[in-house]
Amino acid sequence: MKINKNKKIELFYSMIRMRMIEEKIAEKYSEQEMRCPVHLSIGQEAIASGICMNLQKKDQVLSAHRSHFHYLAKGGSLKKMISEIYGKETGCAGGKGGSMHLIDIQAGLIAAVPIVGSTIPIGVGLAWANKLDNLKKIVVIFFGEGSTEEGVFYESINFAALHNLPVLFVCENNFYSVYSGLNKRQPKKRKLFNVAESLGVKGISLDGNNVEEIYLKAKKIIKSVQRTNHPFFIELSTYRFLEHCGPNNDDDLEYRPTSEILFWKKKCPIVKYKKKLLKEKVLNSKKLDKIYNEINLEINKSFKFAQKSKFPKNSNLMKNIYA
Amino acid sequence: MKINKNKKIELFYSMIRMRMIEEKIAEKYSEQEMRCPVHLSIGQEAIASGICMNLQKKDQVLSAHRSHFHYLAKGGSLKKMISEIYGKETGCAGGKGGSMHLIDIQAGLIAAVPIVGSTIPIGVGLAWANKLDNLKKIVVIFFGEGSTEEGVFYESINFAALHNLPVLFVCENNFYSVYSGLNKRQPKKRKLFNVAESLGVKGISLDGNNVEEIYLKAKKIIKSVQRTNHPFFIELSTYRFLEHCGPNNDDDLEYRPTSEILFWKKKCPIVKYKKKLLKEKVLNSKKLDKIYNEINLEINKSFKFAQKSKFPKNSNLMKNIYA
Amino acid sequence: MLKKNSINKNRFIQYTQAINEALMQSMKLDKKIVILGLGVDDPKRIFGTTNNLIETYGKNRVFDMPTSENAITGFAIGMSLGKYRPVLCHQRVEFALLSMDQIINQAAKWSYMNDGQMSVPIVIRLIIGRGWGQGPQHSQSLESLFANIPGLKVVCPSSAYDAKGMLISSINDNNPVIFFEHRWLHSTYSIVPKKHYSVPIGRSKIVKKGNNLTIVSSSYMTIESLKASEILSNYGINAEVIDLRTLRPLDIKPVLKSLKKTKKLLVVDNGWTQYGISAEIITRVATIKKLNKNLAINRMGIADTPIPSTRNLAKLCYPDCLDICTEVGKILNIKFKNLYSKFKSFRAQDVPNKNFTGPF
Amino acid sequence: MLKKNSINKNRFIQYTQAINEALMQSMKLDKKIVILGLGVDDPKRIFGTTNNLIETYGKNRVFDMPTSENAITGFAIGMSLGKYRPVLCHQRVEFALLSMDQIINQAAKWSYMNDGQMSVPIVIRLIIGRGWGQGPQHSQSLESLFANIPGLKVVCPSSAYDAKGMLISSINDNNPVIFFEHRWLHSTYSIVPKKHYSVPIGRSKIVKKGNNLTIVSSSYMTIESLKASEILSNYGINAEVIDLRTLRPLDIKPVLKSLKKTKKLLVVDNGWTQYGISAEIITRVATIKKLNKNLAINRMGIADTPIPSTRNLAKLCYPDCLDICTEVGKILNIKFKNLYSKFKSFRAQDVPNKNFTGPF
Ligand SMILES: Cc1ncc(C[n+]2csc(CCOP(=O)(O)OP(=O)(O)O)c2C)c(N)n1
Ligand SMILES: Cc1ncc(C[n+]2csc(CCOP(=O)(O)OP(=O)(O)O)c2C)c(N)n1
Ligand SMILES: [Mg+2]
Ligand SMILES: [Mg+2]
């Protein structure tokens, strides 16, 4: 399969936009107006972009604590996301959730919650409902490799396999859970997609920093999930560039080897792809500037919107506890 | 490897004794003096016998709701078991546990509890302690295939693999969880030992009704676990002859196909083995009679002991809530 | 037809059948209602409560499940997001302890977390209480663990009539509802209309009028409280008995009203008393300025211990009607003569009824 | 050396350091103590509480864990059966909801289930409470879910001094102890002896003497209650403040004694009030025959809702010292002039101290 020029630009645009958004969050976090934990995904742009580029609006995505990119790639409103992080009434959850509880039902971002693994069965249940209703939708569940240590992940995979549910499991393996390396949590040589396969869900492992490959492979997989109602598991290796939670770089803490960090920085999905597209003449510096400007404009607008928005009224405190 | 004659008789004795004990429980249950749920294992004798024959006293066993055979095969006191089922102060748990909470610390039966899957991490933790202390013990955890649907099973396997713990997982696959067949719970073609292997724990699948094979294979496996501190997973196919819980046959409920029942009754581990040993002249009818008589005597004594024993004193109610 | 039956005052049916009717009738009215749980379609049908569901509504609406309690609850939440209305069942409340994350962190907070854009209309039926030597892990009554959590509704009907009506309300509710059924209530009978009707969530009920003292209880303990009030009437004492029926949102008004009259309160807890349901009831009373003078207040409940299996210790754990009378006597400063000998036949043993022969 | 330091009254240290000292010193005395939990050896060391443990005691006694909360608790139980004494830690109480089966069904009942032949000496440190916009799933205080369970001990020290002494007692205890640490207590200081000492489990404590009314509280709310008592003294009101410190077994005696004097009780709950800790305290008082006359009783606690992330709603959830004063005013029928303007600086914002800049 080939990717046409426009799609390439779209993929690049999606990635660079997400990065610029989070860089702005990081920059402005110290103003102490975004008063909630933020888990930035910088470095992991290719996965959300490559997968979600294949999804339609009706398809549904669930995520966890590190959800900004999934929200954005699925078409969630930037204004509402920034407002949510600022705790404003215009936020996607009315300010009640903060960065760890993004949601945009219209866009199909159904839920993101910070209890590790907890959205996985919920996504499977939703896929089950879709299947019973014969809706030709796919549910995509994004989670970190840490989630795969939770029993509920296993229970969910079992059920998706048992009932042949149209769900795509996307495991972003960035090798760390907070500061804990994989070697403290899973045996060496574990292949997560093998685990899925042993349970009856087909799987593959991909380079999580190669956006075109992700896009192309995911296209095929998603089509087959839709056609066959069989679940699928994709494991993607990638790397988070900043600290686990918060706006900073934490390489000074030395929980990750410098050589490893350098290796992955070199594999930056955006730098690499930009080079490629420049070389292929899909992009040039003029086009790039236009893209940057456009994104900057959008970002600035969104932050202004959020900053100007009001905090929710006190009377909102006791609202919507019950439907 | 060969099995000598004495060992053969021991294996047979172990199996027939367990069956006769449970047959007596079934017979006397309707007297309504054993007032607690009982999960009889008749039909599954070969597994407990074949595995535990390889264990030493210091080795440790954990089980679940269907635990009589594990308790007996590990050398638990019959008198204390029957007394426990009768709710007497002489019971192995002072009457506080009933059939679902057998324990005999001296014999190395560390725990049996009726929350499905719940003893699995406890056994792994115990194996961990043993390893840290460099004790040359092995922990054997018996559980039904239903347990393998609990997330905690998966979490436990992961950890045993990660830390190379000296633990043997023994899955008795009798194809049913209460009245629910495997097809309602796990995908077709699932091989449980493949799941374990994908997680980093070596495994095999065995005929759970062939006591000699179990004994021989388990001998090798247990030695290797002891030597290498690597966990191992054995899946054994078998069949429970009576109802899930209670003293009766429930084939009238028709949740199991008649052909399946017949197939397994033919594979009765005791009938088959008896035939074999008679043919091999290891046993003869005289020897058999002696065995039956001896066991009957022991059983009758134990029931009398239990029946004559006292109920725990009222003052025991509030004792031992805290250590 | 329906109408005729529904006014038939003599239609006594069993609690389990009432549950079953609620499910059958609700499923007929709303195709999005689905039934999930271990054994919902097995020969025993959850003590008969799921009888005929699979025959009538088919295997696309009635699902046996793997032994994966935590995930099952998540599946139910997910289905509800897909516009289904799952009714989930655990045969023992203990099994639900495996799913507290999904219940407390997710279901209870879902509507609030997204500020009302979505809600989670699921019903979780949890079977609590005693059995035949069930022992420490199959006999708990953990209502207060759920009642503490905003975002959940928690109900515990004590009669077949309420069970049907409140299960229908629970299914119709757009929020997660924890529906407690006590094992020993399953075999009780009451008059139950055949029609589809609802009993509102959030209303306690005076189940017996009286003016000498107020007994407040819930779930199975309401039965023992009613028995106690019958016995007490032999001693000339006229107790008012209030059945809470819903623990969250709690309806305390009938209790306060009753106390204006009686000035005496005994709360009979269906579980452990420490940090239990009874503590909340008493606190609601004790913190009312105008009421808290000159009241005699006490509570009782299950002994503060894991429940042993052996019958002679287990029976000591559970207060019954005679123990309730004794507590009433303490509040009223009366000693009831021959109470335990005269009314021995009222006592519960280790089985809910004479027909019970185990094993569960 | 040790002695000299231990009598140095000016040794103010932080709560987190007190926890750390308890762990360091206990591990030195007993080689069977091991530390389990996500991040116990990571650069942040559970807010500093596990500093130096791995350096001092090595990787065979300090274990980072996979994200498998339910199994981890089972491992801890299993290790304790192998004569180890694990101290387990969850950075948020919410994560422990994944392990309620192991905690409630197994650990709490182990000793009883085998009639005292074995017990489960484990400590489970659970971090509760507020943070910076933590939202509904990272800010709960679920003490009452554990306090309801016989077989558990439940403690919640509010000072660095008690934290060290009670953690040592918890580690030495042969039973499962749930040890609650409030995030906002972590940055508080108190005088803490350097030596290894213990503060007994099961004793509440008068943290401020007074005679006009009794304020009972626990965990972080003790801090706000103390602040309130300081403010109240400006209005000539002398409040007695009692810190429960242990929720199970509950020591109610100091409360009852205090009430004999003050006749007025305000219970400040560290969590939700409905079916919360405060309900038990009030019930213990209200069910005492000789005491329940002429008492003024009230309670307050976290608003009955999931906690929102946004700071301007979150702050409405948590009562602080000024809100406590207002409640006291209601009990005493006094209106405090200029309370909110005059003592504004006493108010907690959405951070525990000025140095806090997020993200957690
Ligand atoms: C049930 C649970 N346990 C622990 C945590 C603490 N925690 C927050 S994020 C996180 C890391 C999870 O790692 P991973 O799933 O790989 O996601 P990543 O942060 O790498 O994107 C952990 C352990 C949690 N939020 N929920
Ligand atoms: C956590 C939990 N869920 C459900 C049950 C109900 N239950 C009791 S025994 C049993 C069957 C388990 O099947 P399996 O593990 O295969 O054991 P078997 O009965 O076949 O020996 C079930 C589901 C339980 N005891 N615990
Ligand atoms: Mg990760
Ligand atoms: Mg089975």
Side-chain angles (χ1 to χ4, degrees):
Chain A
M1 245 190 299
K2 279 261 173 123
I3 309 188
N4 70 32
K5 208 179 120 175
N6 285 342
K7 201 48 105 187
K8 286 182 178 187
I9 295 178
E10 268 185 68
L11 284 171
F12 177 76
Y13 193 98
S14 164
M15 291 201 294
I16 188 73
R17 175 172 174 266
M18 298 196 301
R19 176 158 304 183
M20 288 168 72
I21 290 166
E22 284 207 340
E23 278 173 347
K24 182 66 96 189
I25 293 173
E27 177 196 324
K28 295 183 86 66
Y29 193 77
S30 65
E31 291 175 3
Q32 304 204 28
E33 289 301 325
M34 291 179 270
R35 292 167 94 88
C36 64
V38 289
H39 299 81
L40 304 183
S41 315
I42 288 177
Q44 308 187 186
E45 290 83 358
I47 298 172
S49 297
I51 303 269
C52 293
M53 196 64 79
N54 291 298
L55 299 179
Q56 294 175 268
K57 203 165 175 182
K58 66 173 183 180
D59 295 324
Q60 294 162 319
V61 165
L62 291 94
S63 174
H65 55 287
R66 197 176 306 287
S67 65
H68 296 171
F69 287 179
H70 311 130
Y71 175 96
L72 293 168
K74 189 63 179 55
S77 152
L78 177 60
K79 278 185 183 169
K80 287 187 183 175
M81 176 177 120
I82 303 297
S83 298
E84 187 61 33
I85 303 177
Y86 272 84
K88 299 302 179 73
E89 63 172 8
T90 50
C92 58
K96 283 178 173 167
S99 158
M100 303 195 295
H101 292 274
L102 298 185
I103 178 171
D104 190 324
I105 300 173
Q106 278 69 44
L109 195 291
I110 300 302
V113 303
I115 303 290
V116 165
S118 210
T119 40
I120 300 177
I122 297 173
V124 169
L126 183 55
W128 192 16
N130 292 341
K131 183 179 175 188
L132 289 174
D133 283 344
N134 212 7
L135 303 177
K136 291 287 158 210
K137 282 186 194 184
I138 184 168
V139 172
V140 180
I141 312 174
F142 288 97
F143 49 88
E145 88 293 344
S147 289
T148 69
E149 293 147 21
E150 290 287 358
V152 80
F153 161 76
Y154 168 83
E155 295 178 354
S156 300
I157 293 267
N158 178 49
F159 198 77
L162 175 68
H163 281 276
N164 289 327
L165 301 181
V167 55
L168 177 62
F169 298 96
V170 181
C171 176
E172 301 187 50
N173 185 350
N174 61 11
F175 305 101
Y176 289 85
S177 167
V178 194
Y179 304 102
S180 303
L182 258 182
N183 63 329
K184 292 175 168 186
R185 304 181 282 121
Q186 300 184 23
K188 269 180 211 137
K189 298 186 197 158
R190 158 89 45 91
K191 293 264 178 272
L192 287 167
F193 76 94
N194 274 347
V195 176
E197 296 216 323
S198 77
L199 292 166
V201 174
K202 272 200 189 145
I204 51 166
S205 143
L206 291 176
D207 174 356
N209 285 15
N210 182 337
V211 73
E212 285 197 358
E213 188 193 34
I214 297 170
Y215 169 73
L216 288 173
K217 289 267 164 68
K219 180 178 280 318
K220 269 175 101 172
I221 290 164
I222 286 167
K223 273 199 185 133
S224 106
V225 171
Q226 270 160 340
R227 206 181 51 241
T228 63
N229 271 341
H230 277 46
F232 204 95
F233 179 94
I234 312 182
E235 176 188 0
L236 303 110
S237 49
T238 185
Y239 212 65
R240 114 176 104 68
F241 286 1
L242 301 182
E243 62 187 334
H244 165 69
C245 178
N248 301 312
N249 180 303
D250 67 354
D251 294 339
D252 55 309
L253 297 177
E254 298 188 343
Y255 64 100
R256 306 193 292 191
T258 315
S259 58
E260 183 185 282
I261 297 171
L262 287 177
F263 171 83
W264 282 99
K265 287 262 164 89
K266 261 192 209 146
K267 271 175 68 79
C268 168
I270 297 182
V271 172
K272 256 177 49 188
Y273 200 48
K274 189 168 78 176
K275 253 192 213 153
K276 181 169 185 274
L277 296 194
L278 284 171
K279 206 168 146 195
E280 291 178 4
K281 306 248 162 78
V282 173
L283 281 181
N284 56 38
S285 60
K286 215 179 114 192
K287 271 190 192 156
L288 270 176
D289 281 345
K290 208 182 139 227
I291 289 173
Y292 296 149
N293 284 336
E294 192 178 310
I295 294 173
N296 264 326
L297 214 68
E298 186 201 5
I299 292 175
N300 289 335
K301 262 194 201 159
S302 299
F303 272 79
K304 282 217 184 91
F305 174 84
Q307 286 158 333
K308 278 195 190 156
S309 291
K310 286 184 194 147
F311 283 110
K313 290 194 207 81
N314 287 358
S315 61
N316 266 4
L317 176 66
M318 302 304 287
K319 277 191 190 144
N320 294 319
I321 303 169
Y322 293 96
Chain B
M1 247 190 299
K2 278 260 170 125
I3 308 188
N4 70 33
K5 210 179 117 174
N6 285 343
K7 201 50 102 187
K8 286 182 178 185
I9 295 178
E10 268 185 68
L11 285 169
F12 177 75
Y13 193 98
S14 165
M15 290 202 294
I16 188 72
R17 174 173 175 265
M18 298 196 301
R19 176 160 302 185
M20 287 169 72
I21 290 167
E22 284 208 339
E23 278 172 348
K24 181 66 94 187
I25 293 173
E27 178 197 325
K28 296 184 84 68
Y29 193 79
S30 65
E31 291 175 2
Q32 303 203 28
E33 289 300 327
M34 290 178 271
R35 291 166 94 88
C36 64
V38 289
H39 298 83
L40 303 184
S41 315
I42 288 177
Q44 306 187 186
E45 290 83 359
I47 298 171
S49 298
I51 303 268
C52 293
M53 197 63 79
N54 291 298
L55 298 179
Q56 293 175 267
K57 202 165 177 183
K58 66 173 183 179
D59 295 323
Q60 295 163 317
V61 165
L62 291 94
S63 175
H65 55 288
R66 197 176 305 286
S67 65
H68 296 172
F69 287 179
H70 311 132
Y71 175 96
L72 293 169
K74 189 62 179 55
S77 151
L78 177 59
K79 277 184 183 168
K80 287 187 182 174
M81 176 177 121
I82 303 296
S83 299
E84 187 61 35
I85 304 177
Y86 272 84
K88 299 303 180 71
E89 64 173 6
T90 50
C92 58
K96 282 177 175 167
S99 158
M100 302 194 295
H101 292 274
L102 298 185
I103 178 171
D104 190 326
I105 301 172
Q106 277 69 44
L109 195 293
I110 299 303
V113 304
I115 303 290
V116 165
S118 210
T119 40
I120 301 177
I122 297 174
V124 169
L126 182 56
W128 192 16
N130 292 341
K131 182 178 175 189
L132 289 174
D133 282 344
N134 212 7
L135 304 176
K136 290 286 157 208
K137 284 186 193 184
I138 184 168
V139 171
V140 181
I141 313 173
F142 288 97
F143 48 88
E145 87 293 345
S147 290
T148 70
E149 293 147 22
E150 291 287 0
V152 79
F153 161 75
Y154 167 82
E155 296 178 352
S156 301
I157 293 269
N158 178 49
F159 198 76
L162 175 67
H163 281 277
N164 290 327
L165 302 180
V167 54
L168 177 62
F169 299 96
V170 181
C171 176
E172 302 188 49
N173 185 352
N174 62 9
F175 305 101
Y176 289 85
S177 168
V178 193
Y179 304 103
S180 303
L182 257 182
N183 63 331
K184 291 175 166 185
R185 305 181 283 121
Q186 300 185 23
K188 269 180 211 137
K189 299 186 197 160
R190 158 89 46 90
K191 293 264 177 271
L192 287 168
F193 76 93
N194 275 347
V195 176
E197 296 216 324
S198 77
L199 292 167
V201 174
K202 272 201 188 143
I204 50 165
S205 143
L206 291 177
D207 174 357
N209 285 15
N210 184 336
V211 72
E212 285 196 358
E213 187 192 35
I214 297 170
Y215 170 71
L216 288 174
K217 289 268 164 69
K219 180 178 280 315
K220 267 174 102 172
I221 290 165
I222 286 167
K223 274 200 187 133
S224 105
V225 171
Q226 269 159 340
R227 207 182 48 243
T228 63
N229 271 342
H230 277 46
F232 204 96
F233 179 94
I234 312 182
E235 177 187 359
L236 304 110
S237 50
T238 185
Y239 212 65
R240 115 177 103 67
F241 287 0
L242 300 181
E243 62 187 336
H244 164 69
C245 179
N248 302 311
N249 179 304
D250 66 354
D251 293 340
D252 55 310
L253 297 177
E254 297 186 345
Y255 65 99
R256 306 193 292 191
T258 316
S259 58
E260 183 185 282
I261 297 170
L262 289 177
F263 172 82
W264 282 99
K265 288 263 164 89
K266 261 192 211 148
K267 270 175 68 79
C268 170
I270 296 182
V271 173
K272 255 178 50 190
Y273 200 48
K274 189 167 76 178
K275 253 192 213 154
K276 180 168 185 275
L277 296 195
L278 286 171
K279 207 168 147 198
E280 292 177 4
K281 306 248 161 80
V282 173
L283 281 180
N284 57 38
S285 60
K286 213 178 116 193
K287 272 191 191 155
L288 270 177
D289 281 346
K290 207 182 139 228
I291 288 175
Y292 296 149
N293 284 336
E294 190 177 311
I295 294 174
N296 263 326
L297 214 69
E298 187 200 4
I299 293 177
N300 289 336
K301 260 195 203 161
S302 300
F303 273 80
K304 280 214 185 94
F305 175 84
Q307 286 158 335
K308 278 194 188 154
S309 291
K310 287 184 192 145
F311 283 110
K313 290 194 207 78
N314 287 0
S315 60
N316 267 4
L317 176 65
M318 302 304 286
K319 277 191 191 143
N320 295 319
I321 302 169
Y322 293 95
Chain C
M1 254 287 270
L2 252 177
K3 242 187 182 168
K4 201 176 165 195
N5 267 312
S6 69
I7 51 162
N8 176 354
K9 295 257 172 195
N10 293 322
R11 190 173 172 274
F12 268 88
I13 67 166
Q14 214 177 318
Y15 193 107
T16 44
Q17 192 186 333
I19 298 270
N20 183 244
E21 282 187 9
L23 295 173
M24 282 292 279
Q25 294 174 4
S26 297
M27 288 179 81
K28 184 167 185 185
L29 293 174
D30 184 349
K31 277 198 272 185
K32 290 293 185 182
I33 297 166
V34 290
I35 309 293
L36 320 181
L38 276 68
V40 291
D41 63 350
D42 79 15
K44 293 287 170 77
R45 303 290 168 100
I46 318 284
F47 307 107
T49 58
T50 57
N51 280 345
N52 298 315
L53 298 184
I54 189 139
E55 289 79 1
T56 312
Y57 299 110
K59 65 184 178 48
N60 271 341
R61 295 183 63 193
V62 182
F63 297 92
D64 197 4
M65 302 294 286
T67 322
S68 310
E69 284 79 4
N70 197 17
I72 293 174
T73 313
F75 303 154
I77 294 173
M79 289 192 96
S80 80
L81 302 180
K83 307 287 178 231
Y84 278 81
R85 302 183 83 86
V87 180
L88 170 55
C89 180
H90 295 297
Q91 302 213 24
R92 295 274 179 278
V93 65
E94 281 83 357
F95 309 160
L97 292 181
L98 285 156
S99 56
M100 294 305 260
D101 168 45
Q102 291 293 332
I103 296 174
I104 294 181
N105 287 333
Q106 308 305 344
K109 297 173 175 55
W110 204 270
S111 166
Y112 195 78
M113 287 190 305
N114 59 63
D115 209 17
Q117 298 174 75
M118 290 192 291
S119 73
V120 169
I122 64 176
V123 179
I124 305 182
R125 294 174 50 204
L126 297 180
I127 298 176
I128 52 172
R130 328 163 59 165
W132 159 295
Q134 299 284 308
Q137 297 182 343
H138 276 51
S139 59
Q140 295 171 83
S141 293
L142 301 171
E143 294 96 307
S144 68
L145 269 58
F146 301 87
N148 183 235
I149 308 297
L152 297 179
K153 295 191 178 181
V154 181
V155 304
C156 50
S158 73
S159 71
Y161 177 88
D162 283 346
K164 177 169 174 182
M166 292 183 79
L167 183 51
I168 287 172
S169 290
S170 301
I171 290 172
N172 291 341
D173 202 285
N174 283 326
N175 298 286
V177 181
I178 312 292
F179 188 95
F180 282 104
E181 299 166 29
H182 194 289
R183 241 340 249 122
W184 281 24
L185 288 171
H186 272 167
S187 51
T188 63
Y189 284 77
S190 76
I191 293 172
V192 176
K194 199 161 186 177
K195 68 165 185 233
H196 181 265
Y197 65 92
S198 64
V199 171
I201 292 175
R203 296 263 184 84
S204 45
K205 182 182 173 184
I206 301 171
V207 287
K208 186 191 156 288
K209 287 252 170 212
N211 48 26
N212 295 137
L213 106 159
T214 308
I215 300 178
V216 175
S217 192
S218 64
S219 191
Y220 176 70
M221 278 302 162
T222 300
I223 306 296
E224 294 293 334
S225 299
L226 281 169
K227 281 200 247 170
S229 77
E230 216 182 308
I231 295 167
L232 287 168
S233 68
N234 287 283
Y235 294 94
I237 289 159
N238 191 5
E240 183 142 300
V241 181
I242 296 175
D243 180 14
L244 294 171
R245 303 200 293 185
T246 303
L247 303 177
R248 181 176 273 268
L250 179 63
D251 173 25
I252 200 72
K253 268 180 254 124
V255 177
L256 301 179
K257 209 171 150 195
S258 177
L259 280 177
K260 276 193 187 153
K261 188 166 60 178
T262 66
K263 311 262 188 248
K264 287 169 201 72
L265 171 65
L266 176 65
V267 186
V268 184
D269 206 310
N270 193 56
W272 292 306
T273 57
Q274 272 197 68
Y275 304 97
I277 300 301
S278 51
E280 179 64 20
I281 308 306
I282 290 175
T283 297
R284 293 290 186 98
V285 170
T287 52
I288 303 256
K289 270 197 183 172
K290 286 175 201 160
L291 253 176
N292 73 347
K293 319 282 180 196
N294 304 316
L295 291 182
I297 300 178
N298 213 350
R299 67 171 170 184
M300 60 196 303
I302 295 181
D304 200 41
T305 170
I307 311 296
S309 170
T310 182
R311 61 186 178 284
N312 81 315
L313 293 184
K315 74 180 178 210
L316 303 173
C317 293
Y318 298 102
D320 68 10
C321 52
L322 300 191
D323 304 318
I324 295 172
C325 291
T326 303
E327 278 306 312
V328 168
K330 282 187 203 159
I331 290 177
L332 299 175
N333 275 315
I334 304 178
K335 243 203 131 219
F336 302 119
K337 268 197 195 149
N338 306 325
L339 176 65
Y340 283 80
S341 54
K342 216 162 139 188
F343 296 98
K344 205 179 164 186
S345 67
F346 280 71
R347 303 210 92 169
Q349 296 301 317
D350 65 342
V351 291
N353 56 63
K354 281 172 305 192
N355 301 327
F356 186 96
T357 58
F360 255 97
Chain D
M1 253 291 269
L2 251 176
K3 242 185 183 170
K4 201 174 164 194
N5 266 311
S6 68
I7 50 161
N8 177 356
K9 296 255 172 194
N10 293 321
R11 191 172 172 275
F12 268 88
I13 68 167
Q14 216 178 316
Y15 194 107
T16 45
Q17 194 187 334
I19 299 270
N20 184 242
E21 282 188 7
L23 295 172
M24 282 292 278
Q25 294 174 4
S26 298
M27 288 179 80
K28 184 167 184 185
L29 294 173
D30 184 348
K31 276 199 273 184
K32 290 293 185 181
I33 297 166
V34 290
I35 309 293
L36 321 181
L38 276 68
V40 290
D41 62 351
D42 79 15
K44 294 287 169 78
R45 304 289 167 101
I46 319 285
F47 308 107
T49 59
T50 57
N51 280 345
N52 298 315
L53 299 185
I54 189 139
E55 288 78 3
T56 312
Y57 300 110
K59 66 186 179 44
N60 272 341
R61 294 183 64 193
V62 182
F63 298 92
D64 197 5
M65 301 294 286
T67 322
S68 309
E69 284 79 3
N70 197 16
I72 293 174
T73 314
F75 303 154
I77 295 172
M79 288 193 98
S80 80
L81 302 180
K83 308 286 179 232
Y84 278 81
R85 303 183 83 88
V87 180
L88 170 54
C89 179
H90 295 297
Q91 303 213 23
R92 296 272 178 279
V93 65
E94 282 83 358
F95 310 158
L97 293 180
L98 285 156
S99 57
M100 294 305 261
D101 167 46
Q102 291 292 333
I103 296 174
I104 294 181
N105 287 333
Q106 308 305 345
K109 296 174 176 55
W110 204 269
S111 166
Y112 195 77
M113 288 191 303
N114 59 62
D115 209 16
Q117 298 174 76
M118 290 192 291
S119 73
V120 169
I122 64 176
V123 179
I124 305 182
R125 294 174 51 203
L126 297 180
I127 297 175
I128 53 174
R130 327 164 59 166
W132 159 296
Q134 300 284 308
Q137 298 182 342
H138 276 51
S139 59
Q140 295 172 82
S141 293
L142 300 170
E143 293 96 306
S144 69
L145 270 59
F146 301 87
N148 183 235
I149 308 297
L152 297 179
K153 296 191 179 180
V154 182
V155 304
C156 49
S158 73
S159 71
Y161 177 87
D162 283 346
K164 178 170 174 184
M166 293 184 78
L167 183 51
I168 287 171
S169 291
S170 302
I171 291 172
N172 291 339
D173 201 287
N174 283 325
N175 299 285
V177 181
I178 311 293
F179 188 94
F180 282 104
E181 299 166 30
H182 194 288
R183 233 354 239 119
W184 282 24
L185 288 172
H186 272 167
S187 52
T188 63
Y189 283 78
S190 75
I191 293 172
V192 176
K194 200 162 183 175
K195 69 166 184 231
H196 181 267
Y197 64 93
S198 63
V199 171
I201 293 175
R203 297 262 184 84
S204 44
K205 182 181 173 185
I206 301 172
V207 286
K208 188 192 155 287
K209 288 252 171 212
N211 47 26
N212 296 138
L213 107 157
T214 307
I215 301 177
V216 175
S217 192
S218 65
S219 189
Y220 177 70
M221 278 302 161
T222 300
I223 306 296
E224 294 293 335
S225 299
L226 282 169
K227 282 201 248 171
S229 76
E230 215 181 309
I231 296 168
L232 287 167
S233 68
N234 286 282
Y235 295 95
I237 289 157
N238 191 5
E240 183 143 300
V241 180
I242 297 176
D243 180 15
L244 294 171
R245 303 199 295 183
T246 303
L247 304 176
R248 179 179 274 268
L250 180 61
D251 172 25
I252 201 71
K253 268 179 255 127
V255 178
L256 302 179
K257 210 172 149 196
S258 177
L259 280 176
K260 277 194 188 151
K261 189 166 57 177
T262 65
K263 312 262 188 245
K264 287 169 201 72
L265 172 64
L266 176 65
V267 186
V268 184
D269 206 312
N270 192 56
W272 292 306
T273 56
Q274 272 199 68
Y275 303 98
I277 300 302
S278 52
E280 179 64 19
I281 308 305
I282 291 175
T283 296
R284 292 290 186 98
V285 170
T287 52
I288 302 256
K289 270 196 183 172
K290 288 176 199 157
L291 252 177
N292 73 347
K293 321 281 180 196
N294 305 314
L295 291 184
I297 299 178
N298 213 350
R299 67 170 170 185
M300 59 196 304
I302 294 181
D304 200 40
T305 170
I307 311 297
S309 170
T310 182
R311 61 186 177 283
N312 80 315
L313 293 184
K315 74 180 177 208
L316 302 173
C317 294
Y318 298 101
D320 69 10
C321 51
L322 299 190
D323 304 319
I324 294 171
C325 292
T326 304
E327 278 307 309
V328 167
K330 282 187 202 157
I331 290 176
L332 300 176
N333 276 315
I334 304 179
K335 243 202 132 221
F336 302 120
K337 265 197 195 147
N338 305 324
L339 176 64
Y340 284 80
S341 54
K342 216 162 137 190
F343 296 98
K344 205 179 163 188
S345 67
F346 281 73
R347 303 210 91 169
Q349 297 302 317
D350 65 344
V351 291
N353 56 62
K354 281 172 305 192
N355 300 327
F356 187 96
T357 57
F360 254 97

